[in-house]
């Protein structure tokens, strides 16, 4: 089976500056791909090239088997694209908003499709509520519903849950998983680690380039990070002391502990030995989490390109 997204060497420059640089990705059907990276790393630009809204300066490939350069009208018909700034008509109700959008796109069997979409996303009981009175989480759910009206095969979601509370984000992701289980392919950009963990595959971008790719487990395993969890009474002072060690790459506060990381297992252990002798401190080696890995990647991106 051919991949739903299969693009190679995409490059895009604005004002002479490459914001996407030799980017390739393959996304199989029914998978949820997470797209991560600092602001300005080129995620939105890539998404816009995938759905035919922007033409790459170089590179090629297909989205839903359509050429991203020459068949953009076809791609748009089959892709649901949720931008960061989806605008709803605040003085229309949920169902009026969906009905209006379905009319604009001349969706066949409009009333039936709107009713089905309301049910599918748990919006039916609130159908009469004005969009302007909805909380951020419900607005996002309505925005997702609007993207689904034309029954797309691929969803491109650009930070769909930015600024939404954790419960609403969890509910939103339940919808995403439900859709994927029905065969929908999803590419979603996010800054939230709990969301990244829910993706089947992850891609991390920095300065327009793909830095890491794989499942959450693979990304963690390939990081080569060695982490010690350190607790004690004066964490700010402890953090200053640990940062002096050349074997320590990063010291990051995690709740009431510090995560101290490095890449040379033995050298780090040796450097931390004096701290392990101290009765006021507790040190344990722990398995790195996705958050440790992404903080480290962000740190390195700044070093490399800043
Ligand atoms: P991300 O989605 O990862 O935050 P973007 O793709 O939005 O990144 O932006 C990447 C870079 O390209 C940023 O520096 C942004 O300012 C720049 N950029 C994006 N779109 C345009 C445009 N239409 N014209 C000029 N610069 C742009």
């Amino acid at each position: 089976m051919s991949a739903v997204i299969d693009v190679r060497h995409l490059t895009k420059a604005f004002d002479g500056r490459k914001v996407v640089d030799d980017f390739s990705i393959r996304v199989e059907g029914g998978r949820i791909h997470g797209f991560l990276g600092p602001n300005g790393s080129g995620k939105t630009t890539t998404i816009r090239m995938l759905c035919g809204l922007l033409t790459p300066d170089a590179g090629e490939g297909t989205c839903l088997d359509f050429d991203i350069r020459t068949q953009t009208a076809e791609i748009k018909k089959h892709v649901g694209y949720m931008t960061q700034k989806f605008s709803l008509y605040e003085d229309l109700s949920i169902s009026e908003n969906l009905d209006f959008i379905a009319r604009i796109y001349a969706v066949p069997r409009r009333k039936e499709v709107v009713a089905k979409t309301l049910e599918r996303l748990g919006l039916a009981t609130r159908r009469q509520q004005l969009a302007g009175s909805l909380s951020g989480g419900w607005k996002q759910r309505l925005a997702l519903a609007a993207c689904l009206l034309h029954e797309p095969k691929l969803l491109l979601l650009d930070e769909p849950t930015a600024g939404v509370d954790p419960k609403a984000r969890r509910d939103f992701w339940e919808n995403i998983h439900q859709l994927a289980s029905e065969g929908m392919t999803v590419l979603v950009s996010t800054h939230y680690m709990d969301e990244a963990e829910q993706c089947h595959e992850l891609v991390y971008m920095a300065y327009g380039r793909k830095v890491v790719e794989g499942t959450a487990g693979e990304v963690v395993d390939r990081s080569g990070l060695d982490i010690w969890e350190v607790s004690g009474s004066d964490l700010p002072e402890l953090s200053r002391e640990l940062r002096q060690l050349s074997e320590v790459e990063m010291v990051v506060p995690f709740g009431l502990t510090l995560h101290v990381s490095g890449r040379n297992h033995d050298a780090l252990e040796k450097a931390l030995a004096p701290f392990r002798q101290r009765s006021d401190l507790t040190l344990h080696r722990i398995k790195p989490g996705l958050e440790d890995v992404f903080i480290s990647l962000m740190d390195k991106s700044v070093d490399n390109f800043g």
Side-chain angles (χ1 to χ4, degrees):
M1 197 186 76
S2 61
V4 169
I5 299 174
D6 188 8
V7 294
R8 294 163 299 279
H9 312 302
L10 294 188
T11 298
K12 185 78 189 172
F14 291 117
D15 310 321
R17 190 170 60 94
K18 275 188 194 170
V19 303
V20 176
D21 189 2
D22 199 20
F23 184 86
S24 304
I25 189 173
R26 240 182 102 86
V27 179
E28 304 292 339
R31 306 284 282 175
I32 304 173
H33 247 72
F35 216 7
L36 293 108
N39 287 330
S41 54
K43 302 182 294 297
T44 302
T45 306
T46 303
I47 289 174
R48 290 170 67 83
M49 287 193 278
L50 294 175
C51 62
L53 287 171
L54 268 182
T55 310
D57 298 336
E60 62 194 7
T62 56
C63 185
L64 294 164
D65 285 329
F66 298 112
D67 189 298
I68 58 161
R69 289 177 172 279
T70 58
Q71 295 179 293
T72 56
E74 286 303 318
I75 293 175
K76 285 177 201 160
K77 271 189 221 162
H78 300 288
V79 168
Y81 176 35
M82 186 168 159
T83 66
Q84 288 167 24
K85 291 194 192 101
F86 179 85
S87 41
L88 302 157
Y89 294 93
E90 304 229 323
D91 48 358
L92 294 185
S93 69
I94 288 181
S95 62
E96 285 165 342
N97 263 288
L98 293 183
D99 192 69
F100 182 70
I101 293 159
R103 274 176 200 264
I104 291 176
Y105 290 100
V107 170
R109 298 175 287 108
R110 192 184 80 244
K111 284 192 188 316
E112 192 187 318
V113 170
V114 168
K116 195 178 102 188
T117 310
L118 285 167
E119 284 296 335
R120 193 180 194 186
L121 291 187
L123 290 163
T125 54
R126 292 177 179 246
R127 63 190 338 132
Q128 308 297 357
Q129 199 169 333
L130 291 185
S133 70
L134 295 172
S135 66
W138 284 99
K139 277 187 181 155
Q140 295 310 87
R141 205 186 280 211
L142 174 53
L144 179 61
C147 291
L148 292 171
L149 288 170
H150 62 302
E151 307 199 318
K153 297 189 177 71
L154 167 67
L155 281 179
L156 299 173
L157 310 175
D158 198 355
E159 289 187 42
T161 57
V164 171
D165 72 61
K167 163 81 170 75
R169 289 200 289 113
R170 197 152 275 284
D171 293 345
F172 188 92
W173 272 81
E174 255 179 47
N175 284 313
I176 300 293
H177 279 283
Q178 179 60 37
L179 289 162
S181 73
E182 293 164 15
M184 182 76 81
T185 309
V186 182
L187 180 68
V188 51
S189 69
T190 179
H191 286 295
Y192 297 111
M193 285 308 117
D194 58 325
E195 297 187 352
E197 272 162 5
Q198 294 195 50
C199 296
H200 299 130
E201 298 249 354
L202 299 170
V203 171
Y204 182 91
M205 265 182 113
Y207 295 87
R209 290 188 149 258
K210 181 161 71 184
V211 181
V212 178
E213 170 174 52
T215 64
E218 286 166 351
V219 167
V220 169
D221 290 345
R222 286 172 194 158
S223 72
L225 268 190
D226 199 29
I227 308 255
W228 287 77
E229 187 182 68
V230 181
S231 47
S233 52
D234 186 354
L235 292 184
E237 173 53 27
L238 188 55
S239 176
R240 270 190 290 278
E241 283 180 53
L242 289 161
R243 284 201 174 103
Q244 308 288 326
L245 304 173
S246 59
E247 296 79 1
V248 167
E249 188 176 294
M250 283 190 320
V251 181
V252 180
F254 270 75
L256 294 172
T257 69
L258 298 173
H259 283 196
V260 180
S261 59
R263 281 169 199 278
N264 186 328
H265 185 95
D266 295 339
L268 184 61
E269 182 159 13
K270 210 163 152 195
L272 293 177
F275 292 83
R276 294 168 71 197
Q277 303 296 323
R278 282 170 50 175
S279 59
D280 60 327
L281 303 179
T282 316
L283 281 81
H284 300 285
R285 178 177 265 129
I286 57 166
K287 191 174 155 30
L290 207 48
E291 186 140 15
D292 295 304
V293 176
F294 285 124
I295 291 173
S296 151
L297 284 169
M298 292 229 185
D299 211 43
K300 276 203 289 181
S301 311
V302 173
D303 284 344
N304 290 347
F305 302 95

